[in-house]
């Protein structure tokens, strides 16, 4: 039933129109499958919605929402990962309301952020699932907001209900950015924005004309998870198979088994997940695993490291994994998500750049074996968008090979920040003059273009400046984690703090989970890290702090938050840890 290719997607401009279309055209085709792992050793329990069933559940829930709120009201989605999340999100859009994709209150370390986002969005209704209803109701008690369990609304609620006319220019949802340096910022994504970006992503990864299965574990409140696991499959009429992020972290082989079980699987993960799989999946778990049918694996974390792709490929070459399926990509919430992507079927774009020249704003080639070389992966080219590298001060377009801020223009760029006109004007209203008319999105990311490929070098706000020289924190972090085996990979933060004679550089790093702090020769580790950073970067670390696993804060998308780590360091939160 699911083997035949779905028809080409029509040119609708809202997701609810696509849901209705596929329900009428292919009612019995599978739309979404959630693979639950209720026990540690579970191989997965599959729960599936056909397009017809999805349409019915969406309309029933949309009808119930209209009993509690007016069109344009915000609907916060606090469902656990699963099909209730998908129906809740799509129901809000179908009812003419504004979805706010979030997460249940129990997400570790994110309670304060959830309070802030709910206070900013001021939802009229909160959607959750029956199994989380009591927890969510208790959490929202002070807000005095209606809380509904999506799975407890009967199908009969859809009877005789008519959806409002779709408006592609209206705001579909607020995508709250995952940063921790400021008050919550919700990006207004219109219906037209998300459909445009879904089409751009499908084209970038070859899924606009070929049958694929979207397989994912990224949380649905994250922009990449929402677009790749919900929006893109809805636009193209594809099957989306997803699992809970916690199930992946508990046993990464579960993700690989789903990739192997579905023909031409398309999936995405941040850089750390590929390293995690390469190191954690056992030989026994690889037995019988075949990955030669994988269509594309998106690496959407910056910076994308060529070494990670190499380790992942080497770890699973025996399972038939092709090197050309790894697709480094770049995006951000303000552009819905996808901006630029390497295409599947092509060799990984590898660039060895001179570190000193890069710090000075020039991308000059270096020998890959040179210890002072920075190895970066190319993030391909945009689809249906315009990208420029711009001097962030002079607002002048830079030539190929020069490093500047990445600016973006396209139908996927959001309307602006919810209730923040000043920040909207600054970020979404940039201009470049007559040679590049219109408004441009300032991404805050630094990058360059080489050989026609976009290369992301770091965040503008994260740059460490010492004695007039720029240092990229992720570059320093990569050196530090390679200097000693007890430093936990991708769980460390380098940043600058004020000092008497200028900026001082601090490194806060978690130690590996396989060892305890008492078993580590901390002075030896610190000497190794200091020596490596000094030799490779000409940089003296003023402080090295070794902390327990889970101590370095991360954003909701899983990236280390350097800004919050810096704040906690300055507040003395790590004083009781190992500072040497």
């Amino acid at each position: 039933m699911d083997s035949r290719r779905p028809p080409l997607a029509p040119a609708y401009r809202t997701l609810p129109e696509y849901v209705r279309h596929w329900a009428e055209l292919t009612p019995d085709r599978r739309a979404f499958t959630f693979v639950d792992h209720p026990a540690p050793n579970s191989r997965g329990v599959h729960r599936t919605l056909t397009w017809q069933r999805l349409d019915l559940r969406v309309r029933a829930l949309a009808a119930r929402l209209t009993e509690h709120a007016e069109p344009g009201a915000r609907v916060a989605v606090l469902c656990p990962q699963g099909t209730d999340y998908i129906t809740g999100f799509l129901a809000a859009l179908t009812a003419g309301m504004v979805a706010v994709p979030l997460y249940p209150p129990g997400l570790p370390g994110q309670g304060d952020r959830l309070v802030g986002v709910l206070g900013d969005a001021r939802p009229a209704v909160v959607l959750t699932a029956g199994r989380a209803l009591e927890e969510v109701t208790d959490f929202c008690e002070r807000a005095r907001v209606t809380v509904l369990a999506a799975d407890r609304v009967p199908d009969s609620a859809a009877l005789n209900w008519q959806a409002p006319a779709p408006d592609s220019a209206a705001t579909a949802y607020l995508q709250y950015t995952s940063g921790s340096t400021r008050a919550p910022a919700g990006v207004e994504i219109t219906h037209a924005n998300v459909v445009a970006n879904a089409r751009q992503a499908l084209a970038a990864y070859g899924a606009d004309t070929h049958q694929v299965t979207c397989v994912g574990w990224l949380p649905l409140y994250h922009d990449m998870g929402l677009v790749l696991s919900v929006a893109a499959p809805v636009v193209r009429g594809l099957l989306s198979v997803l699992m809970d992020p916690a199930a992946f972290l508990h046993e990464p082989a579960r993700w690989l088994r789903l990739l192997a079980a579905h023909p031409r699987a398309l999936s995405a993960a941040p850089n750390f997940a590929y390293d995690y799989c390469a190191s954690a999946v056992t030989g026994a778990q690889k037995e019988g695993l075949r990955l030669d049918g994988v269509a594309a694996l998106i690496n959407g974390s910056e910076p994308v490291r060529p070494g990670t792709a190499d380790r992942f490929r080497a770890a699973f070459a025996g399972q038939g994994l092709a090197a050309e399926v790894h697709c480094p990509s770049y995006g951000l919430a303000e552009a819905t998500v996808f901006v630029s992507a390497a295409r599947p079927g092509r060799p990984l774009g590898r660039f060895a750049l001179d570190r000193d020249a890069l710090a000075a704003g020039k991308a000059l080639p270096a020998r890959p074996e040179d210890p002072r070389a920075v190895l970066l992966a190319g993030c391909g080219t945009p689809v249906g968008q315009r990208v420029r590298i711009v001097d962030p001060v002079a607002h002048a377009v830079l030539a190929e090979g020069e490093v500047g801020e990445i600016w973006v223009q396209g139908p996927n760029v959001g309307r602006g920040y919810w209730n923040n006109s000043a920040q909207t004007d600054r970020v979404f209203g940039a201009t470049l003059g007559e040679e590049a008319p219109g408004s441009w999105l300032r991404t805050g990311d630094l990058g360059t273009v080489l050989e026609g490929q976009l290369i992301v070098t770091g965040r503008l706000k994260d740059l460490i400046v010492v004695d007039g020289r720029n240092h990229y924190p992720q570059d320093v972090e990569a050196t530090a984690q390679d200097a000693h085996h007890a430093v936990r990979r991708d769980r460390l933060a380098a940043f600058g703090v004020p000092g008497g004679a200028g900026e001082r550089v601090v490194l806060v790093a978690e130690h590996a989970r396989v060892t305890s702090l008492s078993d580590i020769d901390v002075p030896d580790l610190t000497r190794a890290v200091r020596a490596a950073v000094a030799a490779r970067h000409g940089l003296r670390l003023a402080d090295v702090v070794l902390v327990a696993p889970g101590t370095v804060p991360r954003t909701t998308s899983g990236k280390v938050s350097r800004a919050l780590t810096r704040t906690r360091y300055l507040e003395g939160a790590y004083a009781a840890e190992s500072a040497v």
Side-chain angles (χ1 to χ4, degrees):
M1 179 173 62
D2 296 305
S3 60
R4 66 182 179 89
R5 178 184 297 180
L8 294 178
Y12 295 124
R13 298 196 69 193
T14 71
L15 296 182
E17 289 175 288
Y18 280 106
V19 171
R20 192 67 175 157
H21 169 81
W22 298 120
E24 293 175 348
L25 191 66
T26 59
D28 297 326
R29 181 186 293 275
R30 291 181 295 166
F32 291 95
T33 294
F34 178 67
V35 183
D36 194 13
H37 296 86
N41 297 322
S42 171
R43 297 284 292 189
V45 178
H46 291 59
R47 297 182 173 89
T48 295
L49 291 176
T50 64
W51 286 106
Q52 185 178 55
R53 181 70 183 155
L54 173 68
D55 177 59
L56 178 60
R57 292 303 306 151
V58 166
R59 287 188 293 109
L61 189 50
R64 181 58 51 88
L65 286 173
T66 59
E67 297 174 5
H68 296 278
E70 299 294 324
R74 274 78 59 207
V75 177
V77 184
L78 273 63
C79 294
Q81 188 98 334
T83 54
D84 291 326
Y85 201 112
I86 296 164
T87 56
F89 173 78
L90 292 172
L93 273 58
T94 302
M97 298 174 189
V98 179
V100 186
L102 292 169
Y103 41 86
L107 190 66
Q110 299 298 328
D112 290 343
R113 179 180 181 273
L114 183 58
V115 170
V117 170
L118 290 174
D120 185 69
R122 301 189 305 276
V125 180
V126 169
L127 283 178
T128 188
R131 58 192 171 101
L133 181 60
E134 183 177 355
E135 177 188 35
V136 172
T137 301
D138 289 345
F139 187 84
C140 296
E141 184 177 8
R142 291 184 181 179
R144 295 181 180 178
V145 62
T146 299
V147 180
L148 297 177
D151 52 340
R152 295 185 181 178
V153 175
D155 294 349
S156 58
L159 295 175
N160 303 317
W161 182 78
Q162 293 294 319
D167 180 3
S168 63
T171 300
Y173 61 97
L174 301 181
Q175 182 68 63
Y176 275 84
T177 57
S178 57
S180 306
T181 60
R182 51 181 174 162
V187 183
E188 291 192 50
I189 302 297
T190 69
H191 290 272
N193 289 154
V194 66
V195 169
N197 203 225
R199 286 184 168 276
Q200 290 163 344
L202 290 165
Y205 304 115
D208 54 341
T209 56
H210 295 91
Q211 167 81 340
V212 302
T213 302
C214 296
V215 175
W217 55 266
L218 292 175
L220 296 180
Y221 56 79
H222 182 246
D223 48 12
M224 192 190 307
L226 189 64
V227 171
L228 194 69
S229 290
V230 180
V234 165
V235 167
R236 183 69 177 89
L238 302 171
L239 171 62
S240 178
V241 180
L242 59 156
M243 57 187 281
D244 194 283
F248 163 75
L249 293 172
H250 177 78
E251 187 181 317
R254 291 167 168 166
W255 177 41
L256 303 181
R257 286 196 289 266
L258 286 184
L259 292 175
H262 296 89
R264 291 192 55 79
L266 167 65
S267 193
N271 195 84
F272 86 86
Y274 295 101
D275 267 327
Y276 182 41
C277 286
S279 62
V281 176
T282 66
Q285 290 171 331
K286 293 179 184 179
E287 289 293 328
L289 187 68
R290 296 304 307 171
L291 298 173
D292 45 349
V294 174
L297 293 175
I298 302 164
N299 188 329
S301 175
E302 26 88 9
V304 180
R305 300 189 184 113
T308 296
D310 293 340
R311 285 188 290 273
F312 187 78
R313 166 76 174 96
F316 301 102
Q319 284 63 52
L321 183 73
E324 293 77 17
V325 301
H326 207 92
C327 301
S329 305
Y330 166 71
L332 68 164
E334 286 81 353
T336 305
V337 62
F338 290 100
V339 170
S340 179
R343 307 300 190 263
R346 302 179 188 178
L348 189 74
R350 301 170 183 271
F351 297 88
L353 304 178
D354 181 88
R355 178 175 286 104
D356 291 337
L358 195 64
K362 302 287 184 181
L364 300 181
R367 298 190 310 275
E369 65 275 11
D370 189 331
R372 296 190 65 80
V374 178
L375 304 179
L376 295 172
C379 291
T381 57
V383 173
Q385 301 175 61
R386 303 173 75 194
V387 172
R388 298 289 184 270
I389 306 299
V390 179
D391 184 313
V393 177
H395 291 193
V397 177
L398 299 175
E400 182 164 315
E402 294 187 277
V403 178
E405 186 179 10
I406 302 169
W407 287 22
V408 178
Q409 186 183 76
N412 54 299
V413 173
R415 171 175 287 150
Y417 294 113
W418 163 254
N419 268 352
N420 195 333
S421 58
Q423 184 78 346
T424 294
D425 292 342
R426 191 187 72 79
V427 175
F428 290 84
T431 57
L432 285 172
E434 294 181 359
E435 71 275 12
S439 296
W440 290 76
L441 167 67
R442 297 190 62 172
T443 67
D445 292 312
L446 291 169
T448 187
V449 174
L450 286 176
E451 300 176 14
Q453 290 204 52
L454 176 66
I455 302 170
V456 181
T457 58
R459 287 287 292 168
L460 185 59
K461 67 179 182 181
D462 286 342
L463 269 182
I464 301 170
V465 184
V466 178
D467 296 330
R469 294 185 66 235
N470 295 334
H471 299 272
Y472 291 96
Q474 70 271 14
D475 198 13
V476 176
E477 292 156 7
T479 298
Q481 70 184 15
D482 289 338
H484 197 281
H485 64 87
V487 177
R488 190 180 181 196
R489 301 191 68 84
D490 299 315
R491 293 294 187 273
L492 63 169
F495 49 87
V497 297
E503 193 161 51
R504 302 163 61 244
V505 183
V506 173
L507 180 79
V508 176
E510 296 181 8
H511 66 73
R513 285 188 177 276
V514 295
T515 186
S516 64
L517 187 61
S518 61
D519 294 331
I520 299 172
D521 187 338
V522 177
D524 177 69
L525 180 151
T526 302
R527 284 192 296 270
V529 169
R530 287 186 189 277
V533 171
R536 181 160 290 187
H537 305 279
L539 194 63
R540 178 184 177 276
L541 292 177
D543 200 0
V544 176
V545 184
L546 194 65
V547 299
T551 306
V552 174
R554 289 184 288 165
T555 68
T556 54
S557 59
K559 299 175 186 176
V560 165
S561 173
R562 299 185 185 97
L564 187 53
T565 306
R566 179 181 184 273
T567 298
R568 291 183 178 178
Y569 174 84
L570 292 173
E571 291 174 347
Y574 302 119
E577 303 287 348
S578 172
V580 182

